[in-house]
């Protein structure tokens, strides 16, 4: 008890450096001897200048060092030079480790336990601290689509296996009407490589599973654009020489912590007419959707929504020729999930 | 508990007594096929030889059941009580089906007994017993131990250490208690890791929404969205899965510390959590902070402090009421751990509701805004007119926002690897040791900051550092990547940070992320360069670097060998925010040169 009290007294009796400048401590025990320097420092602090506590206490330990006087050292301090202004009384040169620090990998434990004994745990440590791979599967859209010309279905799933930089990425999309053959179905296998904090470059193969069954080379980018748009843009070159492209963007607007409104847009483009696919040159199709999902869990979210599809230009003509409406409105109910 | 005689200097392991195993329902005892039920609270072990057994079992906290990795059958595991100047042998037996380990957090010891598999030793295999043969202890104070294998720490593999001083303790008290803060989750730690990696802010339910009460302007919301970042990104794992624990007990499970009015109570507060910073306060009561990370400091009177993961603070309080709540609120305010200071068994004080969740600010983005030097100011004194962190109406300068570059990599030193793992570069990383921590700058009472810490006894190495080095804390929230200098440990495991033996170095940690990181160096104490006189810079083993800011310490590298150096947020470490510090062998140097050389 006595020692503790002594410690408290010591605290009270110490110069400003040890003082707590907050309200109660100051009122309880004003600094016993406020030097001119300290008053000057206080004045600067009041003006919002960064004068570190302790600026007025000469560093007894360093005899050749000039006293760290607040008036000269910090009084006119340039705020951009916070390096020494905030934390120290003088700059210390940046430098590499001296030769005496040695070189090479850290192997001190080998001398104690033996290199063989250390090998397995050392490798495990490396993998466990940043070297792991992950598997992800997402059903972004798995939905029932109610529409005038017969109800249908759609799936849009993707996933990956890989580490932070390189992944194997797969995607599959397809849709159709119940009781008929699928209108479209495709599978993509991509190598995905992180090219920036928010973007992956993806390249690989796309196989169409219905219709003429074409194979395409794929190159694209997927990631997060400013304002938090999830973007997936890819170009496809088929074995028949057809060059097409697809750009998708989604945005999550949180209404509450679990209720999320998701606008979505998709544009398909083609470099030329591909009559057997019903694709016209230029803008082939445009889709605009709005889905409202409720995240029962983050990874399990039923939704309802509406999506409008337009076929444009020559694509619209092909659709009319085939007896289809180039403009279709889908009322959708579905599930978004991932694991 | 109440019948225990009041004895000075006696450490009561509160929690081990109140509702021990017997209080569990019968179905929870012994009938479980997966092993014994794990008890909350802890026993105490001491002596020249100490035996510890790592096991596993089921655990129920407030009705939720999970799998636990536990030492000697309890979470937290036993209080290891040691004595300065005495050697100790700790025989640790691993009964798990996987490797395990114990790291003695904060103890100075030969590196081969530090307990980090792959750095200091091979680990403890299934069925093996490893003996940590630790020579006479060179320190006293409050520390802790935990697994350094996989993610076992999250599952309950941790416990307190108290090292009694060899001669009189400058802190005198009538009662001496340990309060170890941690988390319980029914999820497997690898499940949490997967959700952090694949989900977007998976555990946060305090996000901005159309209907939130944050009071951000539309312009501010668009600014955050344009940056692809979230102002609510305070904690990665939250009360949506965690139950916050005091000595292994949830807030409804009644941890109680008894006192008699007029007594002085010492609380040794240990943040043994995996991912949580806590705001600790005893509402309506001031208390003294008397030690930080086991090292005595000049007593500082405060009403609240934020404790980063792996830090410890000893406080002394003289309770005057019938009961006082000890509230440890998670930094994101999604839950709290709770204990009661009670003058008689069952006495209850009001427990305040969780305060509103805070938001990140300009300062957390690394923007030197307003007074510029505010980080160097004592906020409690200079509060008015220097807005630095506020819940809503911070005057964000939209003109400044227009031209800003949140990732100007040209300002980085050349040894920082710029790549997908770096989503932000702090524009002007000011020293933020004067910052009380996220969400606490506007509270109407005194909150501890690092600038308040002054070593009680003079430091023994008064040489000025011979060089300065800068280490950048880097990350990518969207991809959930974390690293030092843009390089995950997996890519630099053979390229350690090297120091010459007994070299004195100033290390500046620059936080290029919007999260606070508690950075821990094994086997050493470093001195915070916090404005205290050179001989009184406080010694710590873990330092919190505030978002967008910097923190600087002076290190005397006088413990030879390889040492882990990492962010103590468990999942940040496992994403790669880990390095090895190699201190060259002492060789034939006769003795540590500690005198001033200039």
């Amino acid at each position: 008890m006595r020692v503790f009290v002594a410690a408290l007294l010591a605290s009270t009796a110490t110069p400003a450096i040890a003082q707590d400048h907050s309200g109660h401590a100051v009122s309880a025990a004003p600094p016993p001897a406020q030097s001119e320097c300290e008053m000057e420092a206080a004045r600067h602090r009041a003006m919002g200048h960064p004068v570190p506590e302790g600026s007025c206490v000469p560093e007894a330990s360093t005899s050749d060092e000039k006293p760290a006087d607040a008036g000269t050292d910090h009084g006119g301090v340039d705020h951009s030079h916070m390096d020494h202004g905030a934390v120290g009384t003088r700059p210390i040169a940046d430098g590499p480790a001296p030769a005496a620090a040695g070189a090479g990998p850290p192997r001190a434990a080998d001398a104690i336990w033996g290199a063989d004994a250390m090998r397995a745990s050392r490798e495990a440590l490396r993998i466990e601290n940043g070297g792991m791979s992950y598997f992800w599967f997402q059903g972004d859209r798995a939905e029932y689509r109610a529409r005038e010309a017969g109800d249908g279905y759609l799936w849009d799933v993707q996933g990956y296996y890989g580490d932070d930089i390189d992944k194997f990425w797969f995607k599959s999309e397809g849709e159709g009407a119940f009781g008929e053959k699928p209108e479209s179905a495709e599978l993509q296998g991509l190598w995905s490589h992180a090219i920036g904090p928010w973007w992956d470059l993806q390249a690989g193969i796309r196989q169409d599973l219905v219709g003429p069954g074409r194979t395409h080379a794929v190159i694209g980018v997927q990631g997060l654009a400013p304002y938090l748009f999830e973007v997936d843009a890819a170009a496809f070159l088929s074995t028949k020489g057809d060059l097409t492209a697809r750009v998708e963007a989604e945005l999550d607007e949180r209404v509450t912590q679990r209720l999320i409104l998701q606008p979505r847009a998709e544009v398909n483009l083609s470099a030329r007419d591909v009559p057997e696919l019903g694709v016209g040159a230029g803008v082939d199709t445009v889709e605009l959707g709005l889905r409202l999902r409720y995240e029962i869990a983050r990874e399990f979210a039923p939704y309802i929504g509406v999506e409008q599809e337009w076929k444009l230009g020559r694509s619209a003509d092909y659709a009319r020729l085939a007896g289809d409406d180039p403009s279709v409105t889908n009322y959708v109910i579905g599930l978004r999930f991932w694991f | 508990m109440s019948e225990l005689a009041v004895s000075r200097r006696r450490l009561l392991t509160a929690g081990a007594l109140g509702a021990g195993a017997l209080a569990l329902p019968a179905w929870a005892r012994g009938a479980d096929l997966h092993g014994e039920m794990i008890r909350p609270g802890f026993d105490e072990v001491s002596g020249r030889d100490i035996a510890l057994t790592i096991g596993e079992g089921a655990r129920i906290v407030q009705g939720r059941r999970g799998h636990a990795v536990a030492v000697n059958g309890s979470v937290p595991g036993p209080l290891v009580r040691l004595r300065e100047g005495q050697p100790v042998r700790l025989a640790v037996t691993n009964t798990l089906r996987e490797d395990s380990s114990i790291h003695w957090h904060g103890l100075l010891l030969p590196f081969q007994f530090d307990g980090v598999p792959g750095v200091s030793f091979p680990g403890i295999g299934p069925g093996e017993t490893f003996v940590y043969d630790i020579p006479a202890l060179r320190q006293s104070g409050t520390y802790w131990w935990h697994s350094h294998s996989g993610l076992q720490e999250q599952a309950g593999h941790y416990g307190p250490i108290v090292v009694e001083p060899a001669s009189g303790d400058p802190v005198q008290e009538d009662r001496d208690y340990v309060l170890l803060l941690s988390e319980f989750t029914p999820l497997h730690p690898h499940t949490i890791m997967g959700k952090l990696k694949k989900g977007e802010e998976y555990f946060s339910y305090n996000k901005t929404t159309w209907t939130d009460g944050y009071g951000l302007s539309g312009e501010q919301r668009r600014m955050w969205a344009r940056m692809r970042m979230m102002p609510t990104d305070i904690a990665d794992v939250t009360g949506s899965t965690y139950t916050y624990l005091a000595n292994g007990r949830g807030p409804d499970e009644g941890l109680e510390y008894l006192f008699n009015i007029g007594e002085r109570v010492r609380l040794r507060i240990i943040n043994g959590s995996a991912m949580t910073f806590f705001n600790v306060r005893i509402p309506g009561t001031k208390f003294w902070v008397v030690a930080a990370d086991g090292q005595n400091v000049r007593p500082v009177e405060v009403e609240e402090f934020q404790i980063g993961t792996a830090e410890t603070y000893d406080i002394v309080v003289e309770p005057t009421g019938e009961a006082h709540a000890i509230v440890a609120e998670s930094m994101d305010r999604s839950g709290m751990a709770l204990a009661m200071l009670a003058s008689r068994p069952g006495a209850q004080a009001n427990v305040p509701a969780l305060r509103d969740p805070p938001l990140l600010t300009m300062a957390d983005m690394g923007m030197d805004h307003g007074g510029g030097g505010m980080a160097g100011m004592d906020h409690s004194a200079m509060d008015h007119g220097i807005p630095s962190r506020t819940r809503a109406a911070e005057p964000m300068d939209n003109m400044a926002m227009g031209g800003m570059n949140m990732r100007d990599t040209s300002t980085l030193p050349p040894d920082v690897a710029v790549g997908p793992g770096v989503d932000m570069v702090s524009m002007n990383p000011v020293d933020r040791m004067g910052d009380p921590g996220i969400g606490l700058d506007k509270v109407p009472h005194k909150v501890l900051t690092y600038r308040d810490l002054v070593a009680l006894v003079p430091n023994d190495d008064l040489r000025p550092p011979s060089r300065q080095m800068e280490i950048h804390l880097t990350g990518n929230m969207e991809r959930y990547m974390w690293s030092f200098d843009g390089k995950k440990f997996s890519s630099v495991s053979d390229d350690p940070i090297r120091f010459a033996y007994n070299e004195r170095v100033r290390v500046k940690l620059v936080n290029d992320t919007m999260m606070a990181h508690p950075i821990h160096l094994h086997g050493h104490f470093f001195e915070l360069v916090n404005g205290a006189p050179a001989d009184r810079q406080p010694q710590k083993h873990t330092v919190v670097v505030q978002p967008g800011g910097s923190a600087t310490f002076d290190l005397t590298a006088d413990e030879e060998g390889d040492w882990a150096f990492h962010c103590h947020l468990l999942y940040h470490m496992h994403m790669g925010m880990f390095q090895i510090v190699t201190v060259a062998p002492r060789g034939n140097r006769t003795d540590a040169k500690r005198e001033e050389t200039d």
Side-chain angles (χ1 to χ4, degrees):
Chain A
M1 170 102 113
R2 196 181 44 198
V3 188
F4 180 72
V5 169
L8 293 185
L9 287 174
S11 158
T12 312
T14 44
I17 177 58
Q19 289 297 321
D20 178 348
H21 285 268
S22 65
H24 55 254
V26 170
S27 59
Q34 196 177 36
S35 71
E36 217 173 276
C37 163
E38 281 154 4
M39 287 188 287
E40 172 75 4
R43 206 167 58 76
H44 280 281
R45 289 191 187 104
M47 294 187 298
H49 295 169
V51 183
E53 298 202 38
S55 299
C56 297
V57 178
E59 291 203 336
S61 59
T62 49
S63 52
D64 69 338
E65 194 178 338
K66 74 177 158 104
D69 183 290
T72 60
D73 221 18
H74 300 285
V77 70
D78 175 350
H79 286 174
S80 63
H81 291 95
M82 291 306 297
D83 251 22
H84 49 91
V87 298
T89 50
R90 64 174 191 180
I92 294 163
D94 286 353
R107 293 290 181 268
D110 287 3
I112 311 280
W113 312 111
D116 289 343
M118 286 300 297
R119 196 166 291 119
S121 61
R122 187 171 284 136
E123 178 62 9
L125 183 79
R126 188 183 66 77
I127 292 168
E128 279 177 6
N129 291 284
M132 284 165 297
S133 289
Y134 300 84
F135 176 79
W136 175 69
F137 183 92
Q138 183 200 45
D140 189 27
R141 293 180 295 160
E143 64 194 27
Y144 180 94
R145 321 186 108 199
R147 58 193 177 194
E148 274 185 17
D151 293 355
Y153 56 86
L154 175 142
W155 77 85
D156 176 4
V157 302
Q158 63 176 333
Y160 63 70
Y161 177 78
D163 60 27
D164 289 324
I165 304 301
D166 291 296
K167 298 176 174 74
F168 171 72
W169 203 296
F170 57 92
K171 302 177 185 181
S172 178
E173 273 189 61
E175 61 181 308
F178 291 107
E180 295 174 18
K181 279 175 61 177
E183 291 160 29
S184 69
E186 66 173 52
L187 186 62
Q188 294 182 39
L190 308 165
W191 166 67
S192 183
H193 180 76
I195 52 171
W198 293 284
W199 294 98
D200 283 4
L201 178 69
Q202 299 178 332
I205 298 292
R206 163 182 148 191
Q207 179 64 45
D208 292 347
L209 303 173
V210 298
R214 285 186 183 167
T215 304
H216 309 250
V218 184
I219 185 154
V221 291
Q222 181 166 351
L224 189 67
Y227 299 100
L228 299 169
F229 288 94
E230 299 266 4
V231 175
D232 183 358
F236 307 94
L237 181 63
S238 82
T239 44
K240 300 287 186 189
D242 308 321
L243 179 64
T244 57
R246 182 188 299 156
V247 180
E248 301 173 46
E250 294 176 351
L251 180 66
D252 280 355
E253 285 284 335
R254 283 183 298 275
V255 180
T256 70
Q257 297 297 332
R258 292 176 187 270
L259 188 66
I260 290 154
L261 187 67
Q262 185 198 60
R264 180 178 186 282
E266 177 176 331
V267 177
N268 283 278
L269 307 163
S270 179
R272 68 181 188 194
D273 292 343
V274 191
E276 65 268 39
L277 298 178
V279 171
V283 179
D284 166 26
T285 66
V286 172
E287 299 175 18
L288 289 178
L290 200 58
R291 287 172 178 75
L292 183 67
R293 72 172 187 265
Y294 186 79
E295 293 186 343
I296 295 168
R298 290 279 186 238
E299 54 277 82
F300 187 86
Y303 63 79
I304 55 171
V306 60
E307 186 156 76
Q308 173 67 36
E309 296 175 10
W310 294 277
K311 291 186 189 297
L312 301 176
R314 193 64 60 82
S315 296
D317 298 339
Y318 290 137
R320 285 190 204 95
L321 281 173
D324 294 334
D325 190 339
S327 167
V328 177
T329 305
N330 294 294
Y331 298 93
V332 306
I333 181 166
L335 183 68
R336 184 179 191 269
F337 63 96
W338 58 267
F339 54 83
Chain B
M1 211 152 156
S2 54
E3 68 269 27
L4 286 174
V6 175
S7 69
R8 270 181 52 198
R9 307 287 306 124
R10 179 180 166 80
L11 189 139
L12 303 174
T13 57
L17 300 165
L22 290 176
L24 287 169
W27 56 266
R29 267 186 289 129
D32 183 68
L33 293 175
H34 299 293
E36 249 176 89
M37 285 303 292
I38 301 301
R39 291 174 286 124
F42 44 82
D43 309 321
E44 182 176 317
V45 292
S46 61
R48 178 70 179 86
D49 286 280
I50 291 173
L52 298 169
T53 302
I54 304 164
E56 61 188 322
R59 187 168 170 225
I60 294 176
V61 174
Q62 294 187 181
R64 296 199 300 162
R65 186 187 179 95
H67 172 258
V69 176
V71 175
N72 288 11
S74 68
V75 174
L79 166 66
V80 175
R81 190 172 177 75
L82 306 172
R83 191 162 185 87
E84 184 182 7
Q86 302 290 315
V88 61
R89 273 186 302 264
L90 296 128
V92 179
T93 302
N94 174 18
T95 69
L96 305 177
R97 280 159 294 183
E98 60 184 24
D99 281 11
S100 192
S101 56
I102 293 183
H103 161 59
W104 315 99
H105 187 113
L107 293 195
L108 302 172
L109 36 65
F111 80 92
Q112 65 267 31
F113 298 125
D114 189 50
V116 182
V119 178
S120 39
F121 79 138
I124 311 174
E128 288 180 9
T129 297
F130 181 84
V131 179
Y132 293 82
D133 194 357
I134 300 173
L137 291 167
R138 294 176 268 153
Q139 64 197 118
S140 62
T142 306
Y143 306 95
W144 63 299
W145 54 265
H146 59 84
S147 172
H148 231 286
S149 298
L151 300 170
Q152 291 167 0
E153 184 195 322
Q154 174 80 87
H157 184 333
Y158 49 78
I161 298 173
V162 171
V163 185
E164 297 259 328
S167 53
D169 195 326
V171 183
Q172 296 287 289
E173 69 283 320
D174 302 301
R175 303 223 181 206
D176 188 346
Y177 292 112
V178 167
L179 171 53
L180 193 154
L181 302 168
S182 61
E183 315 115 339
F184 167 79
T185 169
L187 298 178
H188 191 283
H190 280 106
T191 304
I192 291 181
M193 193 167 69
K195 298 202 186 301
L196 289 170
K197 199 73 188 176
K198 295 180 274 189
E200 292 145 14
E201 295 287 292
Y202 180 92
F203 294 100
S204 171
Y205 288 89
N206 283 331
K207 293 177 185 173
T208 54
T209 70
W210 290 2
T211 54
D212 67 43
Y214 284 120
L216 289 168
S217 70
E219 195 151 14
Q220 289 164 346
R221 288 167 197 265
R222 285 190 292 280
M223 181 274 293
W224 281 99
R226 194 183 64 204
M227 294 192 301
R228 293 165 276 198
M229 293 185 184
M230 293 192 182
T232 55
D233 182 14
I234 311 287
D236 293 344
V237 191
T238 71
S240 68
T241 184
Y242 281 155
T243 300
Y244 298 103
L245 304 180
N247 290 359
R249 288 155 201 286
D252 299 338
E253 293 179 328
L255 176 64
E256 189 175 76
Y257 297 105
L258 290 180
F259 70 96
N260 292 320
I261 289 181
E263 285 181 332
R264 174 177 284 120
V265 178
R266 176 183 196 162
L267 288 161
R268 299 170 183 265
I269 300 173
I270 301 165
N271 187 343
S273 72
M275 288 297 283
T276 307
F277 283 42
F278 292 97
N279 300 326
V280 180
R281 68 197 203 274
I282 305 173
T285 303
K286 293 174 183 171
F287 50 86
W288 298 90
V289 173
V290 296
D293 289 2
Q295 303 299 297
N296 292 320
V297 295
R298 286 186 187 160
V300 186
E301 194 183 34
V302 301
E303 283 189 58
E304 184 166 11
F305 63 93
Q306 189 169 89
I307 183 169
T309 304
E311 291 186 299
T312 76
Y313 285 106
D314 288 22
I315 67 169
V316 169
V317 59
E318 292 182 47
T320 53
E322 185 187 37
H324 299 269
I326 305 170
V327 176
E329 168 191 74
S330 69
M331 181 166 64
D332 68 320
R333 320 239 167 125
S334 62
M336 66 167 74
L338 184 66
M340 205 60 77
L341 275 167
S343 59
R344 57 172 175 79
Q348 294 283 314
N350 276 337
V351 178
L354 287 170
R355 294 174 292 188
D356 290 333
L359 288 176
L360 296 175
T361 66
M362 301 280 282
D364 300 318
M365 295 178 219
M367 285 192 218
D368 184 10
H369 129 86
M374 66 186 177
M377 311 303 292
D378 184 337
H379 284 191
S380 57
M382 304 303 301
D383 227 0
H384 308 291
I386 307 179
S388 62
R389 198 197 299 279
T390 159
R391 198 163 165 264
E394 173 170 279
M396 294 215 180
D397 184 340
N398 294 307
M399 194 171 62
M401 308 301 297
M404 73 187 177
N405 180 356
M406 292 301 297
R407 191 174 178 266
D408 182 1
T409 55
S410 68
T411 64
L412 291 170
D415 57 337
V416 176
V418 176
V422 180
D423 69 5
M424 173 188 141
V425 176
S426 180
M427 289 170 77
N428 189 5
V430 296
D431 179 83
R432 296 189 70 189
M433 282 204 191
D435 197 296
I438 293 173
L440 291 184
D441 70 325
K442 288 292 172 190
V443 297
H445 52 246
K446 169 64 185 168
V447 183
L448 183 77
T449 77
Y450 281 160
R451 285 182 183 270
D452 297 322
L453 300 177
V454 180
L456 188 64
V457 296
N459 297 321
D460 62 349
D461 190 353
L462 302 179
R463 296 172 297 163
S466 56
R467 64 180 170 110
Q468 170 162 318
M469 65 181 297
E470 199 168 290
I471 298 172
H472 285 249
L473 319 185
T474 44
N476 181 326
M477 197 60 218
E478 176 71 15
R479 296 183 188 273
Y480 209 71
M481 295 170 69
W482 301 102
S483 58
F484 291 123
D485 288 341
K487 292 169 277 198
K488 297 185 294 180
F489 178 68
S490 50
S491 65
V492 292
S493 58
D494 280 343
D495 189 13
I497 297 167
R498 286 192 164 273
F499 296 115
Y501 180 76
N502 208 33
E503 188 184 8
R504 189 152 164 87
V505 182
R506 176 160 291 182
V507 179
K508 182 179 181 184
L509 302 173
V510 178
N511 189 345
D512 286 316
T513 80
M514 283 197 215
M515 301 209 80
H517 299 280
I519 304 298
H520 172 47
L521 173 61
H522 286 221
H524 294 76
F525 285 93
F526 46 72
E527 301 156 24
L528 297 188
V529 180
N530 67 340
D535 66 335
R536 298 283 179 153
Q537 293 185 153
Q539 303 212 28
K540 289 189 99 263
H541 51 56
T542 304
V543 59
V544 174
V545 192
Q546 298 294 342
S550 71
T552 303
F553 61 76
D554 288 343
L555 172 71
T556 298
D558 58 356
E559 302 288 341
E560 61 182 9
D562 293 341
W563 303 98
F565 172 72
H566 60 94
C567 176
H568 220 287
L569 297 175
L570 185 64
Y571 301 99
H572 288 196
M573 176 175 83
H574 274 260
M575 294 302 146
M577 208 169 199
F578 182 99
Q579 245 295 21
I580 295 174
V581 162
T582 293
V583 178
R586 180 178 179 153
N588 55 9
R589 301 181 68 137
T590 51
D591 201 3
K593 190 166 65 166
R594 288 303 188 86
E595 69 277 16
E596 179 191 337
T597 57
D598 220 350

